[in-house]
Amino acid sequence: MRMKPSRNFLLGLCSMLALGFLYYSSGRISLRGWGHKSLYDKQGFFLKLDGSLPLELMYKYGNLSEGACKPGFAAAKMTAIYPKFTKLAPMFLDPNYKRFAKIGDYLPPFGVKLQERVIDVLLSATKSYGLGEEIDSMSCKTCIIVGNGGILANKSLGQRIDDFDVVVRLNEAPVKGFEKDVGSKTTMRITYPEGAIQKTERYEDESLFVLSAFKALDLKWLRHMVFNQRLPSDIRILNPYFIQEASFKLIGLPHNNGQMGRGNIPTLGAVAITMALHNCDEVAVAGFGYNMSTPHAPLHYYEKIRMSAIKESWTHNISKEKEFLVKLVKAGVIQDWTGGICGAGC
Ligand SMILES: CC(=O)N[C@H]1[C@H]([C@H](O)[C@H](O)CO)O[C@](OP(=O)(O)OC[C@H]2O[C@@H](n3ccc(N)nc3=O)[C@H](O)[C@@H]2O)(C(=O)O)C[C@@H]1O
Ligand SMILES: CO[C@@H]1[C@H](O)[C@@H](O)[C@H](O[C@H]2[C@H](O)[C@@H](NC(C)=O)[C@H](OCc3ccccc3)O[C@@H]2CO)O[C@@H]1CO
């Protein structure tokens, strides 16, 4: 005679199976433990990076003539190596900024929380919120982020830099007297109070002043400067989402409860590159690279401070940031015109 399993036995078996399933899917037993290797690193970047184009992009861009701007190229390449990437993130704050939910719950530098009043005042004093009609209407735009690194000196890249539709400069990096190496066009200059050009007359004509607010005080400073006409008339506020995304997602710096802390601030250059990935069709960089093996080399192209000075900076994590930039260069998401990001080894 066949014995029927008891009801209790079946119930026990089912609950064990259910518990086992929950345990497994909660990630406590990871596939890795069973001999499966993840294809992605901790940040979510594909581990195997090379410059080759995914097949669908080869078809998309195959017929374009050499050197022509490739619409959507940077975002498509970025998505190929970092599937979590979603392109939509406006460059600057505009009167609809409260609808961009990602920045509402974070204090500066990662968001706008508690800064809404000063931001509203600043935005009502600004009449436009883009790059200007000509550039905004382009169906494909190329951007170059000019970092301040000494590696820019004596490479005569000025003309090639000026060929980009959008030239982004940072902090007080000068153009006058350095045109041969850094070009003469400045579409925008992104900065914060301590890094900004101090004399109004030194700002380039036709260039947008863009504040990247790292502290609540930075926005108050901007309000003061705007209302006392101490800045060029055309100003913008960079979307703080780029600081948040660069820090927590792309570089993988400590979240620290969403507050600024030791080593969780990306450099301004990394923030600008993040902005460009969302807003430019093609992205190049020049003047990037902190090379610790040459401590006596000049840190900047325009002054004599040495590379070793960067060791004093405790807000940034230069080595983790480099890992992020190397991924972008290796995969061909961005082009590095001075080669300082990979140095000898990419
Ligand atoms: C001492 C100190 O705090 N230096 C910081 C300075 C300083 O605050 C300003 O120059 C104003 O004086 O600012 C920074 O950067 P800084 O203004 O030097 O440079 C702008 C961006 O260029 C990239 N860079 C620079 C030099 C170099 N050898 N390699 C590079 O890759 C970086 O991406 C950098 O962001 C900043 O704002 O990020 C970062 C620097 O750490
Ligand atoms: C893009 O970063 C800029 C620069 O490269 C950094 O060195 C600098 O870091 C300073 C940081 O902005 C200060 N933060 C605040 C809130 O004032 C920090 O002050 C100490 C501190 C740290 C953590 C929490 C509260 C206060 O000092 C840093 C070094 O000078 O920031 C620049 C952009 O502001």
Side-chain angles (χ1 to χ4, degrees):
M1 194 177 84
R2 274 179 59 203
M3 291 264 292
K4 267 193 184 168
S6 81
R7 204 165 152 248
N8 281 353
F9 173 76
L10 280 177
L11 265 176
L13 189 69
C14 287
S15 6
M16 273 170 70
L17 281 171
L19 276 174
F21 175 75
L22 283 176
Y23 188 64
Y24 168 80
S25 52
S26 72
R28 293 180 72 180
I29 301 174
S30 79
L31 279 177
R32 229 182 281 194
W34 294 87
H36 290 260
K37 275 200 183 141
S38 171
L39 297 173
Y40 297 92
D41 69 14
K42 257 202 230 151
Q43 269 62 63
F45 281 89
F46 198 42
L47 281 168
K48 219 175 112 231
L49 302 172
D50 60 43
S52 62
L53 272 184
L55 208 57
E56 70 274 15
L57 297 187
M58 268 206 245
Y59 285 122
K60 185 170 176 194
Y61 301 123
N63 289 332
L64 290 177
S65 52
E66 174 111 24
C69 178
K70 298 186 268 307
F73 181 83
K77 287 283 279 182
M78 183 68 179
T79 312
I81 62 160
Y82 180 75
K84 287 189 263 181
F85 188 72
T86 44
K87 187 165 186 270
L88 187 81
M91 205 179 254
F92 307 127
L93 296 186
D94 64 28
N96 289 322
Y97 75 93
K98 286 173 197 148
R99 291 194 206 150
F100 192 64
K102 291 167 174 169
I103 55 177
D105 292 337
Y106 285 94
L107 297 165
F110 306 113
V112 294
K113 193 176 168 185
L114 304 181
Q115 300 308 310
E116 292 85 352
R117 262 181 60 185
V118 60
I119 292 174
D120 290 345
V121 170
L122 281 161
L123 293 181
S124 60
T126 320
K127 279 152 214 80
S128 37
Y129 308 97
L131 284 178
E133 225 170 278
E134 195 189 334
I135 301 179
D136 289 339
S137 63
M138 293 174 92
S139 57
C140 189
K141 45 183 175 296
T142 59
C143 303
I144 186 158
I145 318 298
V146 185
N148 297 354
I151 196 163
L152 265 168
N154 305 318
K155 292 213 164 62
S156 302
L157 284 174
Q159 264 180 13
R160 293 176 67 193
I161 289 175
D162 284 347
D163 282 343
F164 281 80
D165 301 314
V166 175
V167 179
V168 180
R169 299 191 194 273
L170 306 170
N171 287 335
E172 58 193 337
V175 166
K176 210 167 161 228
F178 298 89
E179 292 87 345
K180 189 168 81 58
D181 288 327
V182 306
S184 52
K185 175 169 163 183
T186 305
T187 314
M188 70 176 99
R189 187 175 278 281
I190 309 179
T191 190
Y192 46 86
E194 314 90 286
I197 294 178
Q198 301 299 325
K199 293 191 173 152
T200 319
E201 61 274 17
R202 288 230 191 114
Y203 282 92
E204 304 91 350
D205 302 331
E206 313 283 313
S207 153
L208 273 180
F209 176 96
V210 179
L211 175 79
S212 180
F214 284 88
K215 313 174 273 304
L217 206 58
D218 294 356
L219 289 157
K220 294 201 174 71
W221 172 87
L222 183 63
R223 184 179 56 190
H224 172 84
M225 298 299 270
V226 167
F227 288 103
N228 290 289
Q229 297 177 340
R230 305 263 300 277
L231 284 176
S233 54
D234 227 0
I235 62 120
R236 302 283 183 271
I237 304 169
L238 191 73
N239 185 347
Y241 177 65
F242 304 124
I243 305 183
Q244 186 192 126
E245 186 186 39
S247 178
F248 303 146
K249 296 187 178 173
L250 303 177
I251 309 178
L253 299 175
H255 188 265
N256 192 35
N257 270 328
Q259 313 240 352
M260 180 191 263
R262 185 171 272 273
N264 77 352
I265 301 299
T267 68
L268 192 59
V271 174
I273 292 173
T274 306
M275 174 279 284
L277 295 176
H278 288 273
N279 289 284
C280 303
D281 296 276
E282 288 187 36
V283 180
V285 302
F288 276 78
Y290 293 109
N291 185 351
M292 296 310 182
S293 64
T294 55
H296 299 293
L299 178 68
H300 292 139
Y301 68 83
Y302 49 86
E303 60 183 1
K304 293 222 156 52
I305 301 178
R306 293 173 174 193
M307 195 68 76
S308 48
I310 196 66
K311 283 193 202 131
E312 278 149 45
S313 162
W314 49 267
T315 14
H316 308 305
N317 184 331
I318 299 302
S319 59
K320 280 213 79 146
E321 190 165 308
K322 182 179 170 150
E323 286 171 20
F324 159 58
L325 297 178
V326 164
K327 289 177 209 170
L328 297 186
V329 174
K330 250 185 162 173
V333 180
I334 64 173
Q335 315 295 315
D336 180 7
W337 282 38
T338 37
I341 290 176
C342 289
C346 241

